[in-house]
Amino acid sequence: MRTINISGPDGNAFALMGYAQTFAKQLGIDYKPIREEMMSGDYEHLLEVFDKNFGNVVELVEDDNDE
């Protein structure tokens, strides 16, 4: 299973949408409705949609280090 640290640069909305497009293509599913749902709310909603669609292949983690 792949891990994406949402505290780093891979966790910004545009990067996550890019990952979603790549994973959808690899899994043979239509990205357009996923993209539309990801864009229909705030960042937390985007994370929920990402996890709902790709949580079986990707784990979203948050770095707990306070710098």
Side-chain angles (χ1 to χ4, degrees), residues 20-21 24 34:
Q21 184 175 19
I34 296 170

Side-chain angles (χ1 to χ4, degrees), residues 20-33:
Q21 184 175 19
T22 299
F23 295 140
K25 184 175 182 179
Q26 290 173 349
L27 297 169
I29 56 179
D30 187 7
Y31 170 65
K32 186 176 178 182

Side-chain angles (χ1 to χ4, degrees), residues 19-46:
Y19 280 122
Q21 184 175 19
T22 299
F23 295 140
K25 184 175 182 179
Q26 290 173 349
L27 297 169
I29 56 179
D30 187 7
Y31 170 65
K32 186 176 178 182
I34 296 170
R35 182 191 71 222
E36 290 174 3
E37 187 176 359
M38 289 175 83
M39 294 175 63
S40 70
D42 61 9
Y43 181 73
E44 289 299 319
H45 178 75
L46 181 143

